[in-house]
Amino acid sequence: MSNRTRWKRVVLKMSGEALGGSASHQAIDAAEVERIADEICRVRSELDVEPAVMIGGGNIWRGTSVAGSKVERATSDAMGMLATVINALALQDAIERKGQATRVLSAIQMAEVAEPYIRRRAIRHLEKGRVVIFAAGMGRPYFTTDTSAALRAAEIEAEALLKGTHSGVDGVYDMDPRNHEEAVKFDAINFMDVVSKDLRVMDMTAVTFCKDNKLPVVVFNVKEPGNILRVLSGQEIGTLVK
Ligand code: UDP
């Protein structure tokens, strides 16, 4: 594997489910968090990448889709944002146990457990070699962590957004490969086609934001060990959307 990186500063978006264990059925699986933490440490130390991570909360609570929930939407979304904080702390703990400094920057103020998100501070942490973990999305209801990741990427002038999938789908297909054997994967696709074909890459708000701000996105399977390193060392896995 080459030790040259494709992009220097990136935002890695992972769903909360990426931290879960398919075998253990735990919302946060210790072995899985360890593995992801290890890969993040390696891209920091071996490739000299400045990684910022936006972690979702769907393994614990997702605002829109908890079956039977009658919780008011804004409250439900607040619960989802708090779920992301739990995941962020789990990831921080695992990364720091490996000796890599991290900072959790939360969009909802909770000074006892995380720093508040301040754009310049995020950039400073990255410049100093710390891994930044964004928690609580963008701190507003009706948004997702996909859109929050795109926003943060633009704010910190990241060169790319890496969207790690957890469902076994390893990129963007013309139809859902889980239901259609004949589905064809795109190695690369442009944002216009993603929008016009209504392809499920990320939520549309995130897609149009990346398009407007010329932020390339790589959709790849983050559950496959080694893939975070592969994407950043220039191997063409997943789908590049630009
Ligand atoms: N959320 C929100 N505003 C944000 C980010 C997240 O309200 O800026 C809430 C929303 O309810 C969402 C939940 O937090 O469903 C968890 O985030 P997401 O669904 O993006 O997590 P993932 O599916 O990536 O695990």
Side-chain angles (χ1 to χ4, degrees):
M1 207 173 279
S2 139
N3 62 354
R4 300 229 343 250
T5 181
R6 191 174 181 186
W7 294 294
K8 173 80 178 163
R9 182 176 296 165
V10 295
V11 171
L12 168 65
K13 160 66 214 295
M14 282 183 298
S15 290
E17 275 106 335
L19 302 185
S22 42
S24 70
H25 301 293
Q26 298 276 349
I28 299 178
D29 181 87
E32 209 46 38
V33 180
E34 283 287 315
R35 181 188 66 77
I36 288 171
D38 189 57
E39 285 194 36
I40 292 169
C41 290
R42 286 183 63 193
V43 298
R44 175 61 267 187
S45 63
E46 292 174 24
L47 301 177
D48 201 25
V49 168
E50 295 179 355
V53 183
M54 172 68 70
I55 183 87
N59 55 329
I60 299 169
W61 187 268
R62 186 172 283 122
T64 49
S65 60
V66 174
S69 168
K70 293 193 170 61
V71 181
E72 184 214 5
R73 174 69 193 266
T75 302
S76 190
D77 282 339
M79 293 164 70
M81 287 186 274
L82 294 177
T84 73
V85 181
I86 295 174
N87 289 333
L89 295 178
L91 191 59
Q92 173 175 50
D93 178 79
I95 296 174
E96 294 221 324
R97 261 185 284 116
K98 296 179 188 302
Q100 167 63 54
T102 66
R103 294 292 186 271
V104 174
L105 304 186
S106 175
I108 294 176
Q109 298 238 12
M110 46 178 91
E112 282 75 8
V113 295
E115 290 184 10
Y117 170 73
I118 296 168
R119 186 182 76 89
R120 282 167 179 272
R121 193 178 268 188
I123 292 170
R124 188 75 188 123
H125 288 319
L126 290 168
E127 287 171 349
K128 288 198 151 187
R130 298 170 185 141
V131 170
V132 165
I133 304 171
F134 295 122
M138 66 176 85
R140 311 309 315 168
Y142 296 94
F143 288 99
T144 64
T145 50
D146 282 355
T147 305
S148 309
L151 172 66
R152 294 292 185 248
E155 286 186 85
I156 65 168
E157 295 173 3
E159 290 153 282
L161 173 59
L162 311 184
K163 156 83 182 175
T165 65
H166 60 274
S167 58
V169 180
D170 59 346
V172 183
Y173 286 76
D174 59 348
M175 54 187 94
D176 190 339
R178 291 169 300 184
N179 307 327
H180 301 271
E181 257 179 32
E182 69 279 24
V184 177
K185 187 175 132 207
F186 298 101
D187 292 331
I189 188 167
N190 62 48
F191 285 116
M192 284 307 280
D193 286 340
V194 169
V195 175
S196 65
K197 294 182 176 38
D198 195 24
L199 299 174
R200 301 286 144 168
V201 177
M202 302 187 291
D203 66 80
M204 268 310 159
T205 314
V207 170
T208 53
F209 182 93
C210 291
K211 173 178 168 291
D212 290 349
N213 292 285
K214 300 184 175 52
L215 184 67
V217 180
V218 181
V219 182
F220 73 104
N221 180 2
V222 76
K223 289 296 231 183
E224 176 71 32
N227 265 359
I228 301 174
L229 276 150
R230 286 189 191 98
V231 172
L232 285 164
S233 60
Q235 289 189 37
E236 291 182 1
I237 59 164
T239 300
L240 175 65
V241 191
K242 59 176 193 167

